[in-house]
Amino acid sequence: MADTGKAWDNNWYRHMSFYQIWVRSFADGNGDGIGDLYGVYDKLEYVRSLGVDGIWFSPLYPSPNADYGYDISDYRDIHPEYGTLEQFQKVLHKAHALGLKVIMDLVVNHTSDEHPWFLESRKGKDNPYSDYYIWRDKPNNWDSLFEGKAWEYDPVRGQYYLHLFAKKQPDLNMDNPKVRDEVKAIMRFWLDMGVDGFREDVINFISKKEGLPNGLPFLPAVNGMPYYKDGPHIHEYMAEFREVCREYDCIQIGEGPMTTVQSAMKYLTGEQKSLDMMFSFDHMMADCLYTEYVHRPFSLVKLKKAFTRWQKALDGKGWNALYLENHDHPRVISRYGSEHYWRESGTMLAVSYLFQQGTPFIYQGQEIGMTNIRLRSIEDYKDVSTRTNYQTYHLKDSIERRLKRIHLSSRDSARTPMQWDDDPNAGFSAAKPWFSVNPNYRRVNVAAEEGEEYSILNFYRRCLALRKSSKTLICGKYKEYFPKDKNIYMYERALGEVRYLVICSFAKMPVKVRIPEGYAKIKGQMVLCNYPGGTQITAGDLRKRACRELNLLAAEHGMLRPYEARVYRFRVKH
Ligand code: NOJ
């Protein structure tokens, strides 16, 4: 569909928000300590109660779990640990009945080395699957992102295969038209079953440069990236996949690691548009450098620059996927907020992104303010990239320092079991869970927060309801104020006569707020604040709240409290 910028309400995903489920840690329905689709089935009402309109499932397919589902050994089935195809259909049906769309993860840059295609391919050069993967007699110098060099010697075939991720994740050869046909057939399989679209894993890596040239030797882990990111045939291949989606009116959200906004525009806009949204990474690097491994102090200015860069570039031309957490990043309160100001920073972070232009995604546990886990030994971590990180970098540091880095950066912090209540195992499972539960579950859990009016959970609900109530918050123009301010993130959304001003303090101390020119004289109504008491916010009574002038904030209070967030609404006569 052509994106004119006016057609916002013809693009069905634009008014929506999504909840991401990483099923293994969501809810265990059959009592084996592993989350599954029986657990999901029982929790769908909870998901709906948040006010979201769809679910993105991280991979549910059979997998040896070398990368927890992102190493797929059968694209047309459900992992027995998670249920059956029949159970998936029950979940799909119930989700649809509740008004929730369902998006599947499409992981086609690579398969598992236990996928039948690979098992055939490695047998030799003469079999029908021989060219399904990327084989060479001599490897180039690329590193993989997860496990040492990007090439592994296969003694059966007598050649090396390429794996940009773990050794057990061989890259598919997308230049082979048969592989692209397989991808399209997989898409149809799930679309015919009734799913509503795909989140497409590292989709900007699927086309590799001919000849696979050596990369720059001084860039560990990412040295080959210039030759496989946004590669030479990517847009041709994406166009083929787009055709399938068009037939079904489904949506495609691409994951675009390290993609610049300029490259993203080619996927998201214009005639060749092949994705509805892209998960970008710029804003996930406000405390680290190109991977989660190289840590720096958090910089609000960097975060704001990233947000604004994408907001401005896509305005009227494309659409953003908004997120602060997923299964690949540590918990955001522990990164960009403060565990000490847990409720304040958790709610402020919600405000900081949910009112931008785009479709918000909320990751399981984010809505209750789950935080990073700190395990005692590297042996307690499960994630392949976490282990490699520990075993590869800063080896001369003390064990304490090395573990501290893991505490800050590990993806496993996002993968601890969902905290439902204060029963043993956080109500996730009656059996011993497959992975450690964060010990803070007695305080941070759904049941406790359901009952508290000002909890992070209820605040997320309020934010989502507010976003949905306003066309301005969905498709209004974005403008940032005071971009160099090191403590405050302030942006406006404007459409016609209605304007919203969103103000977020990222400071641990009270900070002074400046009011943008022109605003001090107009009357605004505060429609949201994350501090209870003194702000007269009551759930379900958003609109009747006492009017306050924004300049009162400047004149009387003048200060925002630690991690305070406010949203004001104005009607401006032109
Ligand atoms: C991105 C996924 O989100 C991540 O979990 C996975 O490890 C890599 N792609 C490889 O599939």
Side-chain angles (χ1 to χ4, degrees):
M1 187 183 304
D3 193 330
T4 60
K6 288 185 194 138
W8 75 276
D9 50 359
N10 293 333
N11 298 296
W12 55 262
Y13 54 88
R14 294 196 172 192
H15 69 273
M16 296 175 62
S17 47
F18 279 85
Y19 189 74
Q20 183 195 347
I21 293 184
W22 198 79
V23 73
R24 196 171 187 81
S25 283
F26 187 61
D28 175 15
N30 65 0
D32 62 358
I34 297 173
D36 52 42
L37 288 170
Y38 309 100
V40 170
Y41 188 89
D42 292 340
K43 298 292 185 191
L44 286 175
E45 284 85 359
Y46 166 77
V47 173
R48 188 61 177 138
S49 81
L50 300 173
V52 299
D53 316 275
I55 297 171
W56 150 30
F57 282 112
S58 277
L60 300 170
Y61 321 101
S63 158
N65 280 334
D67 186 21
Y68 287 105
Y70 286 90
D71 49 320
I72 297 171
S73 53
D74 182 353
Y75 286 99
R76 290 181 173 79
D77 207 347
I78 296 295
H79 196 304
E81 286 174 340
Y82 305 149
T84 58
L85 261 184
E86 200 192 345
Q87 181 60 21
F88 174 75
Q89 279 161 324
K90 282 191 186 156
V91 167
L92 181 64
H93 187 75
K94 181 169 171 188
H96 281 166
L98 287 168
L100 295 165
K101 301 270 189 197
V102 173
I103 305 292
M104 296 296 268
D105 220 307
L106 185 71
V107 187
V108 292
N109 176 69
H110 44 265
T111 67
S112 161
D113 65 345
E114 295 180 36
H115 193 288
W117 299 338
F118 190 78
L119 298 179
E120 284 302 310
S121 190
R122 66 189 294 226
K123 283 185 186 157
K125 294 182 185 156
D126 301 330
N127 79 70
Y129 295 90
S130 166
D131 289 335
Y132 267 46
Y133 295 86
I134 301 173
W135 295 97
R136 290 290 181 275
D137 292 326
K138 230 177 125 228
N140 65 12
N141 74 348
W142 295 0
D143 289 332
S144 78
L145 292 159
F146 282 179
E147 255 190 324
K149 288 285 161 202
W151 296 90
E152 188 67 9
Y153 185 72
D154 182 67
V156 181
R157 171 131 168 176
Q159 281 189 304
Y160 293 84
Y161 65 85
L162 178 71
H163 62 91
L164 293 183
F165 292 90
K167 289 180 189 159
K168 282 183 70 64
Q169 292 171 294
D171 277 51
L172 282 163
N173 173 16
M174 205 54 75
D175 296 333
N176 180 347
K178 284 193 203 145
V179 172
R180 302 202 297 278
D181 286 345
E182 299 275 13
V183 172
K184 287 178 261 178
I186 294 163
M187 291 169 80
R188 286 180 204 285
F189 176 85
W190 293 101
L191 290 167
D192 284 336
M193 201 175 292
V195 311
D196 303 289
F198 299 101
R199 175 267 187 188
E200 303 183 356
D201 189 66
V202 292
I203 201 68
N204 57 334
F205 289 1
I206 61 173
S207 164
K208 279 84 179 171
K209 185 158 170 75
E210 288 88 355
L212 310 180
N214 275 330
L216 299 168
F218 50 84
L219 284 178
V222 293
N223 60 352
M225 205 174 265
Y227 303 116
Y228 58 76
K229 180 166 71 77
D230 306 313
H233 300 290
I234 183 78
H235 296 291
E236 293 156 44
Y237 303 161
M238 296 301 285
E240 290 185 30
F241 306 151
R242 189 69 174 168
E243 277 307 307
V244 178
C245 273
R246 193 165 285 144
E247 284 169 36
Y248 292 82
D249 188 27
C250 80
I251 59 167
Q252 292 171 288
I253 307 140
E255 187 206 23
M258 308 306 148
T259 284
T260 60
V261 73
Q262 289 78 12
S263 325
M265 299 290 278
K266 298 193 187 125
Y267 298 82
L268 297 170
T269 65
E271 285 295 299
Q272 84 291 11
K273 175 173 164 176
S274 56
L275 289 173
D276 299 290
M277 292 174 261
M278 184 177 263
F279 287 119
S280 64
F281 279 58
D282 281 3
H283 69 288
M284 298 310 280
M285 296 195 290
D287 64 354
C288 61
L289 187 71
Y290 72 67
T291 68
E292 72 247 48
Y293 307 143
V294 184
H295 260 271
R296 305 192 284 208
F298 168 65
S299 157
L300 175 61
V301 172
K302 204 163 178 247
L303 177 69
K304 297 196 296 184
K305 264 192 193 154
F307 278 153
T308 299
R309 189 180 310 131
W310 285 76
Q311 287 289 306
K312 282 173 93 169
L314 289 179
D315 184 40
K317 302 195 183 98
W319 197 248
N320 274 288
L322 308 171
Y323 76 100
L324 285 181
E325 281 193 13
N326 63 34
H327 63 291
D328 285 335
H329 302 279
R331 294 289 183 175
V332 73
I333 292 181
S334 308
R335 296 180 68 182
Y336 296 177
S338 151
E339 290 183 16
H340 179 71
Y341 288 104
W342 168 71
R343 202 198 61 79
E344 292 79 3
S345 67
T347 47
M348 180 282 292
L349 285 161
V351 174
S352 75
Y353 87 109
L354 289 176
F355 299 114
Q356 292 181 22
Q357 192 186 75
T359 297
F361 288 75
I362 296 160
Y363 177 64
Q364 66 189 42
Q366 178 186 340
E367 80 279 17
I368 54 167
M370 283 177 66
T371 56
N372 283 356
I373 195 162
R374 292 168 183 87
L375 297 170
R376 258 180 269 151
S377 148
I378 192 63
E379 299 309 318
D380 298 332
Y381 286 86
K382 307 267 188 196
D383 169 35
V384 55
S385 73
T386 299
R387 284 168 170 247
T388 300
N389 172 8
Y390 182 85
Q391 283 147 12
T392 314
Y393 303 108
H394 305 284
L395 297 181
K396 291 195 182 131
D397 283 357
S398 65
I399 292 198
E400 288 72 35
R401 269 186 83 116
R402 288 167 68 194
L403 269 177
K404 200 169 165 210
R405 239 167 11 86
I406 298 300
H407 295 158
L408 287 170
S409 65
S410 175
R411 308 194 294 178
D412 274 344
S413 274
R415 299 175 178 190
T416 60
M418 177 75 182
Q419 296 164 200
W420 292 103
D421 55 39
D422 62 2
D423 285 347
N425 307 326
F428 162 74
S429 173
K432 184 174 184 305
W434 74 279
F435 189 36
S436 312
V437 174
N438 193 314
N440 70 10
Y441 76 89
R442 286 197 185 80
R443 180 173 58 102
V444 179
N445 67 64
V446 173
E449 295 191 33
E450 284 286 6
E452 267 178 53
E453 187 172 359
Y454 299 109
S455 63
I456 298 181
L457 173 61
N458 282 323
F459 192 77
Y460 264 89
R461 290 185 168 126
R462 235 168 273 162
C463 289
L464 290 173
L466 176 60
R467 176 184 181 274
K468 195 166 250 174
S469 72
S470 160
K471 194 168 166 176
T472 305
L473 285 175
I474 293 170
C475 61
K477 239 184 160 27
Y478 168 97
K479 179 171 174 188
E480 189 193 349
Y481 289 102
F482 312 119
K484 297 209 174 98
D485 193 306
K486 293 197 175 90
N487 294 310
I488 291 176
Y489 176 38
M490 191 184 295
Y491 62 93
E492 167 193 280
R493 301 294 308 283
L495 185 75
E497 291 186 344
V498 178
R499 268 196 232 166
Y500 284 84
L501 193 64
V502 179
I503 309 174
C504 297
S505 167
F506 278 72
K508 289 190 173 73
M509 312 286 284
V511 281
K512 183 117 186 97
V513 199
R514 283 174 288 169
I515 303 304
E517 220 174 292
Y519 265 99
K521 294 205 181 81
I522 48 175
K523 278 195 173 175
Q525 179 187 12
M526 188 170 72
V527 290
L528 197 67
C529 176
N530 66 340
Y531 266 71
T535 55
Q536 298 166 29
I537 301 274
T538 55
D541 191 16
L542 281 173
R543 289 182 176 280
K544 290 193 208 137
R545 189 159 313 123
C547 278
R548 279 162 193 263
E549 288 176 48
L550 181 60
N551 53 7
L552 272 185
L553 169 67
E556 288 180 18
H557 310 293
M559 307 290 271
L560 282 185
R561 288 162 284 187
Y563 296 102
E564 183 164 359
R566 294 175 174 219
V567 180
Y568 287 86
R569 183 177 195 274
F570 300 88
R571 191 168 281 281
V572 187
K573 296 263 178 271
H574 293 295

